[in-house]
Amino acid sequence: MTTKTHTERALITLRQRIVSGAYAGGQRLFEVALAEDLNISRTPVRAALSKLAEEGLLDRMKSGGFAVRKFDLRDVTDTIELRGVLEGTAARLAAEMGADPEILAQADDAISQIDKVLSGKTVDMSKYSKYNSIFHDCLARACGSRVLARELTRVTTLPFASPSAFLDDESRATQLLRNLIVANEQHRAILNAIANRQSARAEALTREHARAALQNVEFLTKNEAALREGSAPLAIVSA
Amino acid sequence: MTTKTHTERALITLRQRIVSGAYAGGQRLFEVALAEDLNISRTPVRAALSKLAEEGLLDRMKSGGFAVRKFDLRDVTDTIELRGVLEGTAARLAAEMGADPEILAQADDAISQIDKVLSGKTVDMSKYSKYNSIFHDCLARACGSRVLARELTRVTTLPFASPSAFLDDESRATQLLRNLIVANEQHRAILNAIANRQSARAEALTREHARAALQNVEFLTKNEAALREGSAPLAIVSA
DNA sequence: GATTGACCAAATGTATACATCAATGCAATG
DNA sequence: CATTGCATTGATGTATACATTTGGTCAATC
């Protein structure tokens, strides 16, 4: 098996099913049914469901039990906006309080690595995604706030809210490179603002950077079902 | 008993103990010990611990099990700042998108009720607290964002981050009335900004309003242990 | 026809025995 | 004396039987 405990395996399996849209939003998940399905007892199923609720993928029902959380388009845009607000706050605080130079150096390196990835003939998306994640992780840590970092982690757990959520969009291959180049320039500007203690600028730039994801959502939803269904991050979204 | 299930009672008991500082921050909570203590089996204890982790009062340990989340002063100020940011965002969105008139009316009523409470000879703090909560609840709902309302609920679950957290501070009875009067004028200004679709103003005012709580924290911590230990919202805070 | 109440089925709540894992200490051994 | 390795302890992980609650159906009654 991939991991040690039944709970962990159930968690991974169920999470995968949920984010891939295998369960309809609002659908209730029953312990017994899942236990039979996964060939384990109810106990690890409950444990997994509980953790998924903690991740925000399930809702607890008033009478007990769990249901798949329902996301509509408004929820998606709100969550991305929320990520922007939180990352923007992180950037602002980092600028105000002065960030750990080591973290800034790491962020700077991530930007350089992304430059390198984008300068090649073909773009290695997994590498881009990796360094993009590193940059955003630096942002979360740069303000030195455990609280803020924690909430950012929470929010970006949702499949469509991750900074790397829409990077696999192949329906616009030509535009993608442009977007990534622009995005990395935003990274540079954000880092520059933080390093120069320009807090308002850092916050505004970071919010704007998050809004790029909103454009992706907008594009995917305006171009109807075919595209949207092919987009993994939006598979969980209902209407 | 107060409630139906053992889980719920355990949840309430443990939550109370945690926020009152009965357990040291970082202290691990063992299922067996708690089960014996509460005279129930491990199963409802686990369920309660899991929910407390969801509330952010416990941390899950990598190796399994739970520990009481440790809050220092920085965490407190960051969380209050975070609440300000989220409420500010709610106010901004409400102003931008136009809030439900019914909610605005309810918020307006809450402000009037607070006026009435403050105009009497003695201030009924439980009433103030009630209408203050109603106002802030309206704020969370006014933007029509389930996502944002949910996160606000999460954040304000922490004892020191609630909008009504420091209202029981009796060490400054004379200053308290002044503060509450100012706070309600802020309420009025926020509502006015939202109603007039002044989004930037609404956001700024709301952030500033939250910072009032920061002043309370500052006061309580500058005046040393005696006061701080008498302050329920800060009982959970370590250093 | 609407309302009430009894019943039943299905789901969660609970207790508990047992399995497993991790840390610890101690003893045998090099 | 250091090191290995086994036994012990104490913790979470798991299965499962049973209790309780809930939601719905259906029929009796007004």
Side-chain angles (χ1 to χ4, degrees):
Chain A
M1 300 273 193
T2 21
T3 61
K4 261 180 309 195
T5 67
H6 286 165
T7 300
E8 211 170 334
R9 283 192 290 276
L11 178 63
I12 292 169
T13 302
L14 292 177
R15 185 194 290 125
Q16 166 57 24
R17 289 187 188 175
I18 294 168
V19 302
S20 68
Y23 299 120
Q27 177 179 343
R28 200 160 159 193
L29 296 185
F30 298 110
E31 293 176 5
V32 274
L34 291 176
E36 281 177 20
D37 185 6
L38 302 172
N39 274 301
I40 57 180
S41 78
R42 282 173 56 205
T43 311
V45 171
R46 286 185 87 153
L49 292 176
S50 178
K51 289 187 180 181
L52 288 168
E54 209 168 317
E55 291 181 15
L57 292 176
L58 297 180
D59 283 326
R60 283 185 194 269
M61 318 215 32
K62 292 146 283 295
S63 56
F66 300 86
V68 179
R69 185 164 163 198
K70 196 171 181 177
F71 293 100
D72 61 19
L73 226 47
R74 173 73 197 275
D75 292 326
V76 173
T77 57
D78 284 352
T79 305
I80 293 173
E81 173 83 16
L82 176 60
R83 171 168 68 86
V85 167
L86 293 177
E87 282 190 331
T89 302
R92 170 171 63 85
L93 291 180
E96 285 173 0
M97 311 183 38
D100 177 357
E102 201 171 315
I103 294 177
L104 294 186
Q106 197 183 345
D108 190 62
D109 178 64
I111 293 174
S112 302
Q113 294 293 336
I114 291 176
D115 271 340
K116 204 156 63 178
V117 169
L118 295 180
S119 66
K121 284 182 182 173
T122 59
V123 178
D124 182 340
M125 287 310 299
S126 75
K127 268 195 183 173
Y128 181 93
S129 182
K130 173 186 168 187
Y131 290 112
N132 186 52
S133 295
I134 290 177
F135 178 85
H136 284 270
D137 185 59
C138 287
L139 206 50
R141 281 165 29 229
C143 61
S145 168
R146 287 190 299 179
V147 169
L148 198 46
R150 186 188 180 106
E151 287 308 305
L152 257 171
T153 300
R154 258 190 69 76
V155 169
T156 55
T157 294
L158 298 177
F160 47 79
S162 152
S164 303
F166 296 98
L167 294 180
D168 61 346
D169 173 15
E170 305 201 349
S171 59
R172 296 179 296 167
T174 60
Q175 232 192 44
L176 188 58
L177 184 59
R178 292 169 155 277
N179 289 347
L180 299 186
I181 290 172
V182 171
N184 207 33
E185 277 312 309
Q186 290 178 326
H187 289 166
R188 210 184 304 277
I190 290 169
L191 187 58
N192 178 271
I194 293 175
N196 288 302
R197 315 289 292 263
Q198 300 165 322
S199 61
R201 178 182 169 226
E203 179 167 18
L205 285 170
T206 306
R207 279 201 191 174
E208 190 60 24
H209 179 59
R211 292 213 174 88
L214 282 181
Q215 294 176 7
N216 287 320
V217 173
E218 206 175 324
F219 176 85
L220 287 172
T221 55
K222 272 186 181 161
N223 289 269
E224 291 316 316
L227 284 179
R228 185 157 76 248
E229 281 170 16
S231 169
L234 289 185
I236 197 180
V237 179
S238 322
Chain B
M1 299 272 193
T2 24
T3 62
K4 265 177 305 202
T5 68
H6 287 166
T7 300
E8 211 169 334
R9 283 192 290 276
L11 178 63
I12 291 170
T13 302
L14 293 177
R15 186 194 290 125
Q16 166 56 23
R17 288 188 188 174
I18 293 169
V19 303
S20 69
Y23 300 121
Q27 177 180 344
R28 200 161 159 194
L29 296 185
F30 298 111
E31 293 177 6
V32 274
L34 291 176
E36 281 177 20
D37 185 5
L38 302 173
N39 273 299
I40 55 179
S41 78
R42 282 174 55 206
T43 312
V45 170
R46 286 185 87 153
L49 292 176
S50 177
K51 289 187 179 182
L52 288 168
E54 209 168 317
E55 290 182 14
L57 291 176
L58 297 179
D59 284 325
R60 281 183 195 270
M61 318 212 36
K62 292 146 281 296
S63 56
F66 300 85
V68 179
R69 185 164 162 198
K70 196 172 179 175
F71 293 100
D72 60 20
L73 227 47
R74 174 72 197 275
D75 292 326
V76 173
T77 56
D78 284 353
T79 305
I80 293 173
E81 173 82 18
L82 177 60
R83 170 167 70 84
V85 167
L86 293 177
E87 282 191 330
T89 302
R92 171 171 62 84
L93 291 180
E96 285 174 0
M97 311 183 39
D100 178 355
E102 200 171 316
I103 295 177
L104 294 186
Q106 196 183 345
D108 190 59
D109 179 63
I111 293 174
S112 301
Q113 295 293 335
I114 292 176
D115 270 341
K116 204 155 61 177
V117 169
L118 295 180
S119 66
K121 283 182 182 173
T122 61
V123 177
D124 183 339
M125 288 311 298
S126 75
K127 268 194 182 173
Y128 181 93
S129 182
K130 173 186 168 188
Y131 291 112
N132 186 51
S133 295
I134 290 178
F135 178 85
H136 283 270
D137 185 59
C138 287
L139 206 50
R141 282 162 32 228
C143 61
S145 168
R146 287 189 299 181
V147 169
L148 199 47
R150 187 189 181 104
E151 287 308 306
L152 257 170
T153 301
R154 259 190 67 77
V155 169
T156 54
T157 293
L158 298 176
F160 47 78
S162 151
S164 305
F166 296 98
L167 294 180
D168 61 347
D169 173 17
E170 305 199 351
S171 59
R172 294 178 298 167
T174 59
Q175 232 192 44
L176 187 58
L177 184 61
R178 293 169 154 277
N179 287 348
L180 299 186
I181 291 172
V182 171
N184 207 32
E185 278 311 310
Q186 290 177 328
H187 289 165
R188 211 184 303 278
I190 290 168
L191 187 58
N192 178 271
I194 292 175
N196 288 302
R197 315 289 292 264
Q198 299 164 323
S199 61
R201 179 181 169 226
E203 179 167 19
L205 285 171
T206 306
R207 277 201 193 175
E208 191 58 25
H209 180 58
R211 291 212 175 89
L214 283 181
Q215 293 175 8
N216 287 322
V217 173
E218 207 174 323
F219 176 85
L220 288 172
T221 55
K222 271 186 181 161
N223 289 268
E224 292 314 317
L227 283 179
R228 184 157 77 249
E229 282 170 13
S231 170
L234 290 185
I236 197 180
V237 178
S238 322

